[in-house]
Amino acid sequence: MSVSEGVLRVHHIEPLSRANGPGRRTVIWFQGCSLGCPGCFNPQTHPFEGGKEWTTEGLFRKVRRYVPLSEGLTLSGGEPLQQGEALVSFLARVRHQTAWSVILLTGYTWEEIQALPWGNAVLDHVDVVIAGRYQPEQRLARGFIGSANKTVHFLTSRYTLSDFSQVPVAEVIIAPDGGVRVTGIDPVHRVGWQR
Ligand code: SF4
């Protein structure tokens, strides 16, 4: 597949995280989601006009500086697959120019992903997909999967389910500018913190 230019709308980039997949990972939360899971813990990522626009090349240049420090990339949101065409272009750069693993968190089910025009092209560049709407009544107490209805698809041999059971439920990141961020899969509810 040839790499074409495109624009991606991003909510936040976390250079190094331990609560968004195995090992120390770089995380991109995409901006924009229309799937409307009840009890979504990232509602600020829903509007498509928020966040910051990046060209696929610009976003790749931004994150690749973390390659020596991070074992892979986690794509979260918002809904990454609602920016699918540009996402394919971005992931092609990641796959061709780094040895990073790629984990995709999506609200689409496995069957819905297959039906998306760019679904299989995205999957060509991903190691693990965690798929399906978040359902708070099926929230899991531990692990990285979030809610029990979600399905996990290992597309390469890079990881196994046991790697995911080791991922912390939440983390607190204190940025160099003093900003404090809590990340993880529904961290506020799962560790009982109050907003
Ligand atoms: S797909 Fe993700 S961001 Fe979108 S509503 Fe569901 S949990 Fe929230």
Side-chain angles (χ1 to χ4, degrees), residues 72-90:
L73 190 61
T74 294
L75 310 174
S76 188
E79 179 46 65
L81 290 178
Q82 290 184 339
Q83 305 189 46
E85 205 169 352
L87 183 63
V88 172
S89 171
F90 170 71

Side-chain angles (χ1 to χ4, degrees), residues 138-159:
Q138 298 204 53
R139 182 186 303 135
L140 294 169
R142 294 207 57 76
F144 177 58
I145 293 157
S147 62
N149 61 292
K150 285 178 166 277
T151 57
V152 185
H153 307 268
F154 295 94
L155 308 182
T156 69
S157 58
R158 193 104 177 217
Y159 295 113

